[in-house]
Amino acid sequence: MAADLILRNATVRTLDPARPLARALSIWRSRILAVGDEQTVLQDAGPATRVLDLAGATVLPAFDDAHCHPIGFGLSLEWVDVSPDVAPTLETLLARLAEAARETPPDRWLLARGYDDSRLDVRRHPTRWELDTVTGDRPTIVIRTCGHMLVANSAALARAGITRQTPDPEGGRIVRDATGEPTGLLQERAQELVRQLIPEPTVADLERALRRAGERFLALGITSVTEAGISRPEELQAYQNLHQRGALPVRARVMLLIDQLLEPAERLGLRSGFGDDWLRIGPFKLFQDGAGGARTAAMSIPYPGEPENYGIAYYTQEQLDEAFRRVARLGCQAAAHAIGDSAIEMVLTAYERALADYPLPDHRWRIEHCGMLRPHLLDRMARLGVVAVPQPGFGYYLGNAYLRNFSGDWLALAYPTRAWLERGIPVAFSSDAPVIPPDPWVGIQAAVLRRTRTGQPFGPAQRVGVLDALRLYTSGGAYAHFEENRKGRIAPGFLADLVVVDRDPLSVDPEELTAIRTLMTIVDGRVAWEA
């Protein structure tokens, strides 16, 4: 058979132990046909074969973001950006809100995202009263970068009926000033008191969001993503509509949130793995705690300066046990958001009990983020065969907040990539976009250098080499989704999902990794993005 496409005159880093390096490859339909030297591969050429001379560029397996929020990322691209790069001061944050308020009809919600109190000049969260000065009676929310808390203005609080008498909801906190008055800061599940009032995006809105997000992913060489939790049928419908039209820009697996969608799945017999190489049902997931930078991750010790604050645990042990027993009984993959060591311990206990009652061979149950570890928790993960799905870029973008919130002893095992690998624990890298930008090179460099944005060490003993980091951002995601025999390597028979970059990551100084640029992204054997 003649190849459809041949890439030649390239440095092909296959990540395949059987043949790590090649000069050319051929593609037939959606699969890799051959990998090797140019003379051998060019034998696959036929009259209609397209041959691309890459002039020495490097070809890698395309990236796999094993935990992100494509819908949320795409929607947030239309919101007011108040991230530290564009709004480093409270004054500029308020100015951006004021500008947006002038352009937003009075009856519409004003939505903003991305501030980080640890990087704002005032080193604190904005307050409702400060938002009021520029938003007036227009209901407004400003979501922290982590997504685990938001600040609402007085109009939004009033619509939600939140007063000084409103009790904290289970699994959430209404932050109050010294007099007991809500400051506007709502943590974890308390956010839902306001968020539930915001009109839900339509299916058409969700489709546009997925296409916007997909364009960003392709430009970064990402061809596979995992939607880390949907709760509405409309969200799955948007994915299915695009898939049916052949318009999904990247391959997607979709996690279903246990609270909202496990019961319908039980009635339907819907299981993880249902679908195809473009759209597939992934794990059933729940959130067990908050975020480390936001001081809501559930810890076994209190946060510095807050002797009563151990973070927020969403569920009791009994509730966790029952949720994951149901997932195991259904024969499905499970995932849990757990960052604090207390949350991780509770999740591991629930996994152990569920899998004892309903054994699943090769279950690949996951802990998303898996931030603050202790040695015995690492041992339990290894014994249970749990997959860690961290975001190495957290150390870079959010690391300074972690330095403020945790001691050096804790940071020594924060998102501990080297410790996981040494114990044989499977790891899949990801971004959690829009929490942080989805650029894989930032994550890879962060795993290699273990430094914050300001150059502070972030658990440097957990550094790994560039090759390991590349594997975790490609074949790591494939393994986490039972796809290691068709994704994550450049080898005959594997899906032809590739990224062409302007330099070889294994030949540059690690300081230059984030300067690597995408030249071309190939999905399913076709060029989907080109610089």
Side-chain angles (χ1 to χ4, degrees), residues 507-521:
S507 300
V508 303
D509 188 306
E511 300 284 353
E512 299 176 18
L513 286 168
T514 53
I516 292 175
R517 292 293 171 260
T518 306
L519 302 177
M520 182 185 298
T521 304

Side-chain angles (χ1 to χ4, degrees), residues 205-487:
D205 293 333
L206 298 171
E207 289 179 20
R208 284 194 298 273
L210 285 172
R211 294 185 73 117
R212 278 194 301 270
E215 290 168 4
R216 298 290 183 97
F217 289 133
L218 289 173
L220 293 166
I222 300 166
T223 63
S224 290
V225 298
T226 302
E227 176 74 67
I230 65 168
S231 59
R232 300 172 59 219
E234 292 85 354
E235 293 168 325
L236 188 56
Q237 184 181 345
Y239 270 104
Q240 292 183 97
N241 288 352
L242 290 179
H243 181 34
Q244 189 173 31
R245 300 200 298 266
L248 266 179
V250 295
R251 305 182 193 274
R253 313 90 160 190
V254 180
M255 292 191 195
L256 306 182
L257 291 181
I258 287 173
D259 281 353
Q260 292 85 6
L261 297 177
L262 179 57
E263 189 273 333
E266 288 172 324
R267 283 190 284 108
L268 291 169
L270 183 64
R271 290 183 173 87
S272 303
F274 178 76
D276 60 21
D277 284 329
W278 275 97
L279 181 62
R280 193 181 302 278
I281 300 298
F284 286 79
K285 176 197 174 187
L286 56 70
F287 289 84
Q288 177 53 11
D289 70 344
R295 294 191 166 206
T296 55
M299 296 292 295
S300 60
I301 61 167
Y303 286 90
E306 298 182 51
E308 305 301 318
N309 182 14
Y310 288 77
I312 296 174
Y314 280 32
Y315 300 96
T316 65
Q317 188 66 60
E318 292 73 21
Q319 290 169 328
L320 279 182
D321 293 350
E322 175 58 21
F324 289 117
R325 278 196 189 99
R326 290 170 65 190
V327 175
R329 187 167 59 236
L330 193 58
C332 288
Q333 191 179 14
H337 167 118
I339 291 180
D341 71 304
S342 179
I344 293 169
E345 183 139 39
M346 293 176 75
V347 166
L348 288 173
T349 296
Y351 282 7
E352 199 165 34
R353 291 171 177 172
L355 292 169
D357 289 347
Y358 301 96
L360 298 175
D362 194 21
H363 56 80
R364 302 191 199 183
W365 283 19
R366 306 158 43 134
I367 297 182
E368 312 300 305
H369 314 299
C370 205
M372 311 307 295
L373 276 299
R374 289 179 284 157
H376 81 280
L377 297 178
L378 289 165
D379 295 338
R380 289 186 72 185
M381 289 181 69
R383 188 168 64 251
L384 280 170
V386 171
V387 180
V389 188
Q391 298 70 42
F394 277 13
Y396 176 75
Y397 286 108
L398 312 177
N400 286 332
Y402 275 76
L403 292 175
R404 185 178 66 181
N405 294 346
F406 301 102
S407 69
D409 288 343
W410 281 101
L411 293 176
L413 283 179
Y415 304 94
T417 309
R418 177 171 289 279
W420 283 321
L421 296 182
E422 288 174 346
R423 284 170 170 80
I425 295 168
V427 181
F429 275 174
S430 61
S431 71
D432 203 20
V435 172
I436 62 173
D439 187 346
W441 293 112
V442 174
I444 289 168
Q445 186 187 65
V448 171
L449 298 180
R450 296 285 298 202
R451 290 191 319 225
T452 71
R453 276 180 81 110
T454 57
Q456 301 301 307
F458 185 83
Q462 296 302 325
R463 291 174 181 146
V464 295
V466 175
L467 183 58
D468 277 334
L470 282 170
R471 285 177 175 146
L472 300 184
Y473 237 124
T474 51
S475 53
Y479 178 85
H481 294 93
F482 301 90
E483 297 170 343
E484 70 272 20
N485 292 320
R486 59 184 181 274
K487 276 188 191 178

Side-chain angles (χ1 to χ4, degrees), residues 487-505:
K487 276 188 191 178
R489 287 185 280 163
I490 302 175
F494 275 59
L495 289 169
D497 295 354
L498 309 165
V499 58
V500 182
V501 294
D502 63 351
R503 67 197 83 176
D504 180 3

